[in-house]
Amino acid sequence: MEREIERIREREPVEQDLMIEDSVRKLKHEKEVFGKKPHVLRNSKVPWSLGIQAYHKNWIRPIHFTDPLESYSAPHHSFLVLEQIIPPGSRSGKHRHYPEAAFYIVEGSGYEIHDEKKWPWKAGDIFCVPTYCVHQHFTDPDSSARLFYVVPLLFSTLGLSDTEQIETHPLYKLSAESKALMGIDDQLAKMLAVRKAAPTYTGKPANTYEMYRKQLADEVQWRLNCTHIVDGAQRPWENTAMGRIKYLVHPSLPSGLQMIDAWEQEIPPGGRSGKHRHVAEELHKILDGEGYDVHDGVRWDWEKEDVVVVPSHTVHQHFNASKDKPARFLSYQSRIYSYFGHGGVEHMEDAPGYK
């Protein structure tokens, strides 16, 4: 036994892996930072500024997943959240990017040019910018427009957050250095040409690799033929356990979006919504009225034009503070939660009058 012990090599020193410890510290830090962030962003506190695309309000704008948590204006990870104004007879910048985007028309009328195709829109509609679509917004000669929109932040973590800027807003002045950055990347332009050529795949794939070849063809056909404009006037209102809701973008409805859901909700005078919670984050643009939310027992007052953020796993309910006017808001929610098995809703209380 002594000889056996002598032959056992002394263990080499082991360097400890602190990855899990670092993750725990990061999560604790995030809860502390986000716990101090407001759930209601006041319209009067968010300024307008001229950007390369248009006049913008940057409601929630971390532009990369490495941005410090302190730079977030609200406890929200899912979307860039912006608002845009386009004067009568004018246009936005022209560009494309991998992230899709959903634009709700708060007011005004105009049209889109998406990959050289025209799509008219009006107040109450949503226009969809599918992934990797060259797009530009135009207003009618007698109408300014205001657009409230979201862009999924997930693409930043995938290394696909870059924008190819083709044309700027008419009033935006580029520096000489910035002008050198304009235009379409040559390699990506070739990729777009392939997708515009609409490759087809006939027959049944003979093996697993052939399934991926067919997938490209199917994706191109979808981009060419998907719905870019959701006509809000054609969507029905539904009486649900959560209240009166008009679904605008949903997996069961045709649209050019795969990662975003959107709906309008109306709360009657002096009324309230149902109560529930879900894993997905949610945010609202208050279109009319005034009232408040209760999030995990905490009251957050809001009024017209404010933006309300509902963090993940938060028990929430909406209340109309007016006794004679309805309140109405637009909601956006990321669909990505459904793709990894957490898209459902835990319902706790019905809206008054629901049967």
Side-chain angles (χ1 to χ4, degrees), residues 93-110:
K94 182 180 183 182
H95 63 283
R96 71 171 175 182
H97 38 67
Y98 276 102
E100 65 184 31
F103 288 74
Y104 179 85
I105 317 303
V106 180
E107 57 187 40
S109 61

Side-chain angles (χ1 to χ4, degrees), residues 189-206:
K190 293 176 183 177
M191 185 184 296
L192 180 63
V194 170
R195 295 187 179 277
K196 279 182 136 184
T200 57
Y201 191 102
T202 58
K204 184 178 180 180

Side-chain angles (χ1 to χ4, degrees), residues 103-105 108 119-128 226-237 246-250 253-257 262-264 330:
F103 288 74
Y104 179 85
I105 317 303
W119 299 87
W121 45 257
K122 63 185 184 306
D125 293 348
I126 279 185
F127 67 76
C128 312
C226 67
T227 300
H228 286 228
I229 301 294
V230 176
D231 187 340
Q234 298 301 313
R235 295 293 197 218
W237 286 94
K246 179 200 289 189
Y247 288 98
L248 299 168
V249 182
H250 184 271
L253 302 173
S255 80
L257 301 171
W263 64 93
E264 288 183 38
L330 168 76

